Amino acid sequence: MSRVHFELRRSPTLLENECQVAVVPGYFWHLPLIYSQIYSGAWAGHFSYWLIEEKKQFPMLVSMLGVALFGYIKLPGAAPKPALLRVVETRNVAVGHTFLIKHHDHMEVATCVVKDEYRRHGIGKILIDDAIELAGNLPVIASCMPKSHAMSMLFKKRGFVEIKQFSLTQTGHAGLRHWQYSSNCRHLTS
């Protein structure tokens, strides 16, 4: 896939020459950044805390490496599925990513993260719009933790509808909020 260029919203906190960004395929050299974004996001409560556990970290890195190298992910109990890492770069520095899994009937946004200092500049919108475009006619589903208010607002602004409010975790605490985007307004019922 080639680079897709976007004009970033101008902000006084960004340097003038950082207003051009590109969405590129994620490669193995992007993995340290992607991993650190997911890990710090889990500490902040934006992802499940199980991602902090050491026994989960190595399999997650191996899965991401497989996606970066081969474009597939092997999920437990399922056949390998096509998957993509998409990275937003500005001045050849990765500042955000999405991890996308293509199922037979929908595209899943497994993770979407933007570096703290680049948030609120339109990068999340660029990543979600890229996911919608890559999905084609398939619905796009995504989930976010209750603490991820900015992500919930982004989904609403991009035309996603909430399909399931706060599924419960095994401990009975509020878990994920589930969202779906569909150009033909059909919603998944799972």
Side-chain angles (χ1 to χ4, degrees):
M1 287 186 199
S2 62
R3 289 177 171 257
V4 180
H5 293 276
F6 295 91
E7 188 72 24
L8 190 61
R9 237 185 308 179
R10 296 217 183 265
S11 167
T13 60
L14 291 177
L15 298 174
E16 194 65 29
N17 57 359
E18 289 184 327
C19 290
Q20 288 286 336
V21 297
V23 179
V24 299
Y27 294 105
F28 68 90
W29 57 82
H30 292 122
L31 293 182
L33 169 80
I34 292 169
Y35 173 76
S36 70
Q37 288 178 336
I38 292 172
Y39 186 79
S40 64
W43 270 109
H46 297 290
F47 295 113
S48 174
Y49 285 113
W50 71 263
L51 292 171
I52 297 170
E53 296 177 25
E54 287 182 27
K55 65 182 178 183
K56 303 289 186 189
Q57 293 171 11
F58 182 73
M60 182 174 65
L61 280 172
V62 169
S63 294
M64 284 188 210
L65 181 61
V67 170
L69 294 176
F70 307 113
Y72 284 88
I73 186 169
K74 175 70 172 104
L75 299 172
K81 296 184 181 283
L84 297 164
L85 288 171
R86 301 290 284 171
V87 175
V88 170
E89 292 182 337
T90 181
R91 294 177 20 183
N92 292 322
V93 173
V95 297
H97 84 274
T98 50
F99 178 40
L100 308 170
I101 302 171
K102 187 173 183 180
H103 300 271
H104 74 280
D105 62 347
H106 66 278
M107 177 79 79
E108 176 186 356
V109 178
T111 62
C112 180
V113 184
V114 176
K115 285 177 80 171
D116 288 341
E117 60 269 26
Y118 287 90
R119 289 185 180 161
R120 306 191 67 71
H121 299 294
I123 292 173
K125 174 192 171 299
I126 290 168
L127 286 165
I128 295 302
D129 287 350
D130 181 61
I132 290 169
E133 184 177 324
L134 289 170
N137 291 329
L138 291 176
V140 179
I141 65 164
S143 300
C144 63
M145 296 296 285
K147 189 171 183 174
S148 298
H149 301 292
M151 199 72 196
S152 292
M153 294 308 297
L154 174 63
F155 289 144
K156 284 181 185 179
K157 288 180 181 177
R158 302 314 313 144
F160 283 71
V161 293
E162 193 165 8
I163 57 173
K164 188 183 203 186
Q165 175 119 18
F166 296 122
S167 59
L168 296 179
T169 64
Q170 291 175 341
T171 60
H173 294 96
L176 297 172
R177 295 178 76 173
H178 303 275
W179 298 88
Q180 180 183 334
Y181 172 89
S182 180
S183 59
N184 58 8
C185 298
R186 286 183 299 117
H187 302 292
L188 296 172
T189 57
S190 57

